[in-house]
Amino acid sequence: MNIRMIVANGLLGAMYIAISMVLQPIAFSAIQFRFAEIFNHLIVLNRKFIYGIVLGVFLTNLLFSPMKPFDLTFGVAHSIICLLISLVLFKFVKNIWLRMLVNTIVFTVMMWIIALQLKIAIGLPFLFTWLTTAIGEFAVLIIGMPIIYFLYKQLYKSNLDLSNDMKKRSTF
């Protein structure tokens, strides 16, 4: 990884933390809208963004979570598992919009991990919590698709190396 990508991942982690800090009241609990989750779509542009995303999730949970030990294990594991599943599936999907949709579906379905965390930690009902957290995740990621696409177009126009993965394989 070059210096530019290391800096980009650091900035990504910092933006994840900043957005989560501002929107903290709606980022944790059974009904959650963690708007920083839109950054999960950045792996569509470049798989190396996984580091900044995981860093942001880890530090956000460390700094702001009311259930630190649970969020540091379940929450970070959820992000890593979902990102890795998406990266595997991307081998079969080349279109940026379809990749973001695949990513959205993976993160939404896998919210059972967060529902399990909330059941273990504070006794919330599993199925209802899975439904509510999945709805929040789905909404945030669907809203994030055009935002990330716009970002991609700006990176592509400016010829930055940050979107190198997609420059090689993208179809529109």
Side-chain angles (χ1 to χ4, degrees):
M1 218 176 355
N2 63 29
I3 297 297
R4 182 180 276 186
M5 186 52 71
I6 292 170
V7 170
N9 273 295
L11 289 172
L12 172 56
M15 288 187 305
Y16 192 105
I17 295 164
I19 290 172
S20 296
M21 180 184 69
V22 170
L23 301 172
Q24 185 179 357
I26 60 172
F28 299 93
S29 75
I31 300 173
Q32 53 183 258
F33 293 93
R34 192 181 285 198
F35 286 101
E37 288 285 288
I38 68 168
F39 294 129
N40 292 331
H41 286 314
L42 288 176
I43 64 161
V44 167
L45 303 179
N46 191 319
R47 66 185 168 273
K48 292 179 183 173
F49 283 129
I50 192 171
Y51 302 109
I53 296 165
V54 172
L55 176 66
V57 171
F58 176 81
L59 291 175
T60 294
N61 290 339
L62 179 66
L63 296 171
F64 307 119
S65 173
M67 299 179 289
K68 274 185 202 2
F70 291 99
D71 272 333
L72 287 172
T73 53
F74 287 87
V76 174
H78 172 262
S79 293
I80 292 170
I81 291 166
C82 291
L83 291 166
L84 292 175
I85 290 170
S86 289
L87 287 173
V88 168
L89 294 174
F90 291 169
K91 292 179 182 181
F92 306 102
V93 179
K94 302 304 178 202
N95 179 280
I96 190 170
W97 287 103
L98 289 177
R99 282 181 168 205
M100 286 190 285
L101 186 58
V102 164
N103 200 39
T104 298
I105 292 167
V106 167
F107 270 88
T108 299
V109 170
M110 295 299 289
M111 286 303 283
W112 68 265
I113 296 171
I114 304 305
L116 179 62
Q117 168 197 329
L118 293 169
K119 176 163 181 52
I120 293 169
I122 56 178
L124 293 178
F126 176 76
L127 288 177
F128 181 74
T129 306
W130 185 8
L131 176 68
T132 59
T133 57
I135 289 170
E137 188 77 1
F138 181 80
V140 167
L141 290 173
I142 287 294
I143 291 167
M145 287 174 63
I147 295 168
I148 297 302
Y149 183 78
F150 174 78
L151 174 64
Y152 166 71
K153 294 299 283 182
Q154 297 308 308
L155 291 173
Y156 190 78
K157 276 197 276 189
S158 64
N159 265 338
L160 291 176
D161 290 339
L162 303 180
S163 61
N164 241 2
D165 281 1
M166 288 306 300
K167 283 182 186 176
K168 295 174 189 168
R169 298 189 294 269
S170 182
T171 57
F172 296 100

